[in-house]
Structures are given as C-alpha cells and as structure tokens.
Amino acid sequence: MPEGWWAIVGVCGGIVLPLMVFAIVFLAVVMPRWRRMAKAGTEAAGSRVVGVGEENAPAAESGLCLVEDAAEESMDAAVEREGASGEYEKKQGDCAIMAEDETVETEDTEDRLDRSFIARLILADDDVKGWYSMLKNAALSYKGTKASMAWKQEKLRCGRKQIGKLLIRGKVLCLYLNLTMDDLKDCDVKYRVEDVSGKAINASTPIMYRIKNPLRARHAVDLIDMVAKKLDLVKAKRFQPRDYTLELVSQTEEQLMDCGLIRTAPQTNYETFTPAKN
C-alpha cells in the first residue's frame, strides 16, 4: 500500500476511535444516571401536585361548577339567538313541502302550474268524474247539506257540521270524512282508510279514503252514510240526483288557464327563502 494511504488511515483511526470510546462511555454511564434523575423528579412533582389537589379540592370543585354554569348559560344564549332562524328554517321546509304538494312542474316550461280542484276534475279520467258525481249526490241527498267549492277542495256541510271534503291528489280522488279510526272498529267491512289527524287542517276530517275503483267508490258512499248517521242527518224526501259529469267538459290546460282555473305559481327559491318576521 502506498505511504499516502497509511497516512490517511492513521488520521481516520485517530478520530474514529476516540468517538467510539466516548459513545460507549456515554451510553453505559451517563444515560442511566439521567434516566434515574428524570424519574425521581417526575415522582416528586407528582406528589406535590397531589398534595395541592387534596388541600384545594373544595375550591377546585366550586371552580369547576362555575365553569359548567358559564358554559350552560352561553349555550342557552346561543339557542335564544338562533331560535328565530331555526323557526324560519322550519317554516321554509314547510313552505317547500306545501309548494311541492300544491304545484306541478310542466315538462316543456320551468313555470309551475297551480291547478284548482275543478281544473283537476276536468282534466281527470271519466271514471274519476263519475265517482265524484256519485259521492257528491250521496252527501247532498241528506236534508240541509250543501257543497262549497274552494280552490283546492270541495267541502260538504250540513249547517256548521262538516261531513267531509273532496280533493284530488295526483290523479286520485280522495274523500276526507268526519270519522275517527274508533268509529270503524266494529264495521263488518275493513275500509282501508288513512289516519290524517296529525295535521291541524284535518281536525274536522281526520280520516282519508282514496277512491281508485268502483268498489271503493261504493264503500265511500257507505262511509258518507256513516257520517250522516253520526251527525243525525235525515234523508231529503224530494232529492233528485244530478249528473255532475255534464259540467266537467274536457278542456286543455291552455283553455283552463284562460278561464282562470289554472294559474302560474310564483317562483320561489326555497333554498334561500326566509319568511318575513311577524
């Protein structure tokens, strides 16, 4: 090996060997001492903290209670501040549901059409028109009963006593009646009625019956008779049935819009809509 290489090896050995010795001494002697000293310091600090905690336990507990009370008060204040906006969000959701229930979006335009009950009848199938005429005659066959047409429904009354109301949901004729589920418990026929008493608007007509076929139409007449019996109504002696289908001549939506029976619903962005404050 050349003499220059021996010189390099000697220099490296003179540096590396002392470093190795120092590392061995450090790991064998210094590190264990540091670990023992750190452990002793930690135990001493823990004992001091425990002592202080035991002496000041009542003060700490009272301080914790004060912090919890302050947190509860801040939460209540936040609820009070956000209460109005939460109520508006609920109203906003209700408005969106009402609009979705009351209006239908057309295929060829973005406008929403608000169809009246009479318009829905005119656009309905002949079977629906016939069932409507049958049920209306069944209700008006009792003395003193009258029918009052509204935009979305037709109410059947006898004085201040409400017999029921007729609506069209989608394409189905629905009869709301002044009966409860308890009134139908002892019936021989199991009428498939729906309990709608959860809505305040149906307080006087808590059950709904969907007329989808001739059998259900006859059952609906029986249910009207049950309401009449419940309200102590009497059959009119000189009642003459009337064919209401003759008044429901088929028309197009454009013609019904010209007559005012279909109107364009106002466009409302329900994602950003906030009802006005009272």
Side-chain angles (χ1 to χ4, degrees):
M1 180 179 293
E3 295 179 359
W5 286 103
W6 284 112
I8 294 172
V9 169
V11 172
C12 293
I15 297 174
V16 173
L17 287 176
L19 291 176
M20 293 179 62
V21 173
F22 177 80
I24 293 172
V25 173
F26 180 83
L27 294 176
V29 179
V30 178
M31 285 297 294
R33 290 184 179 180
W34 281 4
R35 288 179 180 176
R36 288 195 295 270
M37 291 173 63
K39 184 176 180 181
T42 303
E43 292 176 353
S47 62
R48 288 196 299 270
V49 170
V50 170
V52 172
E54 292 175 352
E55 293 176 358
N56 300 331
E61 185 177 357
S62 61
L64 180 60
C65 294
L66 291 175
V67 171
E68 292 178 351
D69 294 340
E72 291 179 357
E73 291 177 1
S74 62
M75 290 177 63
D76 294 339
V79 170
E80 291 179 358
R81 289 194 300 269
E82 297 175 359
S85 61
E87 184 178 1
Y88 291 152
E89 290 175 1
K90 182 179 179 182
K91 290 181 179 179
Q92 173 183 340
D94 294 341
C95 292
I97 294 172
M98 289 173 62
E100 189 178 19
D101 202 27
E102 296 288 337
T103 58
V104 177
E105 186 173 357
T106 58
E107 296 179 356
D108 55 348
T109 179
E110 295 181 355
D111 294 336
R112 292 177 178 269
L113 300 181
D114 186 9
R115 298 174 176 84
S116 62
F117 175 67
I118 189 67
R120 291 175 182 268
L121 279 175
I122 292 173
L123 296 171
D125 298 334
D126 292 338
D127 292 339
V128 175
K129 296 178 182 179
W131 299 334
Y132 162 76
S133 181
M134 180 192 302
L135 299 181
K136 189 171 181 178
N137 280 307
L140 297 180
S141 64
Y142 289 92
K143 186 177 180 180
T145 56
K146 295 181 180 180
S148 58
M149 183 74 68
W151 180 260
K152 283 296 180 184
Q153 61 190 0
E154 186 170 10
K155 293 184 178 181
L156 305 171
R157 293 179 173 275
C158 180
R160 295 186 178 180
K161 301 176 181 178
Q162 184 166 352
I163 300 173
K165 57 185 179 182
L166 291 164
L167 285 86
I168 292 183
R169 302 181 65 87
K171 295 184 179 180
V172 180
L173 179 64
C174 299
L175 175 64
Y176 291 72
L177 292 163
N178 187 4
L179 291 173
T180 63
M181 302 299 290
D182 294 336
D183 296 333
L184 304 176
K185 284 184 177 180
D186 299 331
C187 294
D188 296 333
V189 179
K190 298 300 181 183
Y191 302 102
R192 295 184 178 180
V193 299
E194 300 177 31
D195 187 358
V196 293
S197 59
K199 295 183 179 181
I201 195 173
N202 300 322
S204 57
T205 54
I207 67 170
M208 180 184 70
Y209 191 62
R210 300 178 187 267
I211 295 90
K212 302 178 181 179
N213 50 54
L215 178 60
R216 280 190 168 233
R218 292 194 295 271
H219 286 171
V221 173
D222 296 338
L223 291 172
I224 291 175
D225 293 337
M226 291 179 60
V227 177
K229 184 177 180 181
K230 176 182 177 180
L231 301 177
D232 297 327
L233 303 183
V234 181
K235 282 281 188 179
K237 296 181 180 179
R238 299 181 181 180
F239 174 74
Q240 294 294 330
R242 181 176 171 182
D243 189 2
Y244 292 98
T245 60
L246 301 177
E247 303 174 6
L248 303 174
V249 181
S250 298
Q251 300 182 48
T252 63
E253 287 191 342
E254 290 75 12
Q255 293 173 332
L256 294 173
M257 289 184 71
D258 294 337
C259 297
L261 297 177
I262 297 179
R263 60 194 180 191
T264 303
Q267 297 298 303
T268 304
N269 186 2
Y270 289 99
E271 294 180 357
T272 59
F273 172 69
T274 302
K277 295 183 180 180
N278 294 331

